[in-house]
Amino acid sequence: PSTLTVSEVTTRYLRRLVGAASEYLGKKVTSAVITIPTSFTEKQKAALVAAAAAANLEVLQLISEPAAAVLAYDARPEATISDKIIVVADLGGSRSDVTVLASRSGMYTILATIHDYEYHGIALDKILVDHFSKEFLKKNPGAKDPRENPRSLAKLRLEAESTKRALSRSTNASFSVESLIDGLDFASTINRLRYETIARTVFEGFNRLVESAVKKAGLDPLDVDEVIMSGGTSNTPRIAANFRYIFPESTRILAPSTDPSALNPSELQARGAALQASLIQEFETEDIEQSTHAAVTTVPHVTNAIGVVSVSESGEETFVPIIAAETAVPARRTVHLDAPKEGGDVLVKVVEGNTHINVIKPEPKAKEDGEANEKAEVADDDSDFDDEEDEEEEEKREKVWKIGSILAEAAVRGVKKGAKVEVTINVNTDLTVIVTAREVGGKGAVRGTLSA
C-alpha cells in the first residue's frame, strides 16, 4: 500500500473538485476562493495554497468560514445591509465552530470564536448506534455486540447517519441493516421525540458552545441580532429550537426548520466563497494582497457606541446611537432628530453609550395561608402545576441603553418650527471625532473636533 501525505491528499481532493466544476460549467476552472477555519495558522494557509498550486489551481483569496456564511446571506438581492451582531454556529460532522461577528456597513469583524471536537454530527450518530445496538441485543439474547465487530460497526454507523438525516425531514424513521452480525438481520423504527430524548446531552452541548461564544465576546444574548446555522448538522430541528430559547424573540434564527427563507446550511460556505470570487475575479493579485494585508484588515474599532441624548417632552433623557460599538474606523454616520415643535435653540449632547441588561422580577402574589397550605399539599402530586408556577414567575430581561460620558455639546440656534436637526459624526483612523450639527435645510453648521 502507498503512503500519502496530507498535502498530497489535499491536492488530489482539490484536483477532483476542479474536474467536477469544470465538467459542470463546460470550461476549465483555473482559480478559486477557498474558505478556511478561523483557527488556521500561517503555516496551514501556506500549505493549503501550495497544495492548490500542485493541483493547478490559483488561490485568489482565503476567507474565513463564518465570514463566507454571512456573505451568503448578505449578498442576496432581497437582503438589506444593516449594523448587527451575528452568531455563526458551524456544526459539522467532526467538529463545531461558533463565531460571533459584528457587521458594520458591510464590514465583518470577528469578536470571538470557539472550536469544539466533542459535540458534532458524529456524536449524534454514536447516540443512535448505541441505542439500536442495545435494542438488537434485547431482541437477540446471546448474540455478539455488533459494536465490537469492525464490519458490523461500519454498517451501524452508515445506517445511523441515514436515520439521523431522515429524522431531520420527518417525525419517524426506520433503521434496517441486513446481516448485521453472524447472519442476523435487524430492523427497527424510531420517532423524533425519542431521538431528541436520548440525544439530549449532545443538544445541550451545542447550547453551551453558543452561550460560551457570546460570553467570550463580552456580549449578552440580547445583543445578538441574527444566528446563522451552518454545516450539515444544522438541519436538525431540535438544535434550532433550543437556540430559540437562548435568544430573545427579536433575534432571527436562520435555519431550515425556523425560517422558510433560510439557505441550505451545507452550501453556505461554498456559496459565500463563490460570491466573493465573483466580486474579485477581475482584480489584480497585487490589489487583493494589498486589501487583505494585516495593516488594512486589522483596523481600530470604536469600543463604545457614540450617539446623542434625546430629551422627551416630559424631560426624560434617552440615548440615540449613531455609531454602533465595534464599528471599524474611519466611519461616518448621520441621524436626523426632531427639534422642539415651537422651534428655537437646540442643544445637542454627543455622548458615549453602552448597553445594560435590565432584569424585571415578577411581583410576588399575595396568598392566603389556607391557599398556600393547600397548594403545598398538592405540589408533590401535580408536577404540571409546578411548571405553570415557574413559568409565571420567570424573570424578564431587556436591553436598555445607558448614557455614558459627554464627549461634546453643540448649540444650533434659531431652528424653525417643526424642523429637524441633522447630526453627523465622523471618526477618523486616528480615532479623532468630528461632530457636525445643523438644521436640515438651513444655512450654516456647528462643527467641532475631539482628540482621541
Side-chain angles (χ1 to χ4, degrees), residues 13 32-38 61-73 88-93 95-99 101 115 228-234 263-277:
Y13 178 65
V33 169
I34 301 178
T35 63
I36 56 173
T38 54
Q61 191 178 5
L62 298 175
I63 62 174
S64 67
E65 292 173 347
V70 178
L71 180 61
Y73 276 101
V88 179
D90 183 3
L91 311 178
R95 68 179 268 178
S96 293
D97 301 296
V98 181
T99 307
L101 298 97
H115 312 286
I228 294 176
M229 296 186 63
S230 175
T233 307
S234 296
L263 300 172
N264 185 343
S266 301
E267 299 175 356
L268 280 184
Q269 293 169 13
R271 185 185 290 261
L275 288 165
Q276 181 70 0

Side-chain angles (χ1 to χ4, degrees), residues 108-177:
Y108 305 142
T109 304
I110 294 177
L111 306 181
T113 57
I114 282 185
H115 312 286
D116 183 83
Y117 293 89
E118 184 179 357
Y119 301 105
H120 41 59
I122 294 176
L124 292 172
D125 295 344
K126 187 179 183 302
I127 294 287
L128 289 172
V129 166
D130 291 341
H131 170 75
F132 285 113
S133 294
K134 291 174 183 176
E135 193 170 309
F136 170 78
L137 293 172
K138 274 185 183 179
K139 290 183 177 180
N140 300 278
K144 295 178 183 178
D145 190 336
R147 291 169 291 183
E148 296 176 359
N149 182 288
R151 187 183 294 272
S152 300
L153 182 59
K155 289 182 178 181
L156 282 171
R157 286 174 174 169
L158 187 64
E159 187 63 17
E161 184 179 359
S162 177
T163 301
K164 180 186 67 176
R165 293 174 183 269
L167 287 170
S168 295
R169 298 187 297 268
S170 60
T171 55
N172 292 279
S174 61
F175 186 96
S176 177
V177 179

